[in-house]
Amino acid sequence: MTVIHVGDVGTVFRVTIVEADGVTVVPVSTATKKCIHFQKGDGMRVTKTASFYTDGRDGIIQYTSKAGDIDSSGLWLMQGYIEIPGGSFFSEVVQFTVCDNIAPGA
């Protein structure tokens, strides 16, 4: 597990879309919409456009953080969402902690 800090850039967030059984991967290669919803430590919600981790057959989508994305500490939540011709699907909600820094960023 990667330790995430306020101000980090380049952190990769990945989620896997699975069927209701919690095991069977939903192939997302035909997705017309891919995003990851975040709820920050301060409660603010944002949505980021996701990309495929590989070719989409593995059901994994990802987002790589940019400057300004990780701007508050605390308990964060994330959830993936895709739309494919056969329906729309959410991933599980994943919790992670964003830590404060003891020094300002460079």
Side-chain angles (χ1 to χ4, degrees):
M1 182 75 183
T2 301
V3 177
I4 303 168
H5 289 89
V6 172
D8 283 357
V9 174
T11 301
V12 178
F13 297 94
R14 288 189 186 118
V15 294
T16 303
I17 310 295
V18 295
E19 295 282 355
D21 65 9
V23 177
T24 306
V25 170
V26 174
V28 298
S29 55
T30 60
T32 55
K33 182 174 186 174
K34 305 177 292 295
C35 60
I36 299 179
H37 302 287
F38 291 91
Q39 181 173 307
K40 299 180 179 192
D42 62 6
M44 178 182 240
R45 295 181 180 181
V46 296
T47 299
K48 300 294 183 177
T49 300
S51 60
F52 296 124
Y53 172 56
T54 59
D55 61 4
R57 290 183 289 176
D58 56 6
I60 302 173
I61 58 174
Q62 67 180 20
Y63 173 74
T64 303
S65 69
K66 296 172 180 41
D69 283 345
I70 305 174
D71 58 0
S72 65
S73 61
L75 180 64
W76 283 46
L77 307 174
M78 72 175 175
Q79 184 176 37
Y81 174 77
I82 56 114
E83 293 177 1
I84 58 176
S88 57
F89 298 87
F90 287 93
S91 73
E92 287 186 322
V93 174
V94 177
Q95 296 183 13
F96 60 96
T97 300
V98 173
C99 301
D100 281 319
N101 298 301
I102 61 170

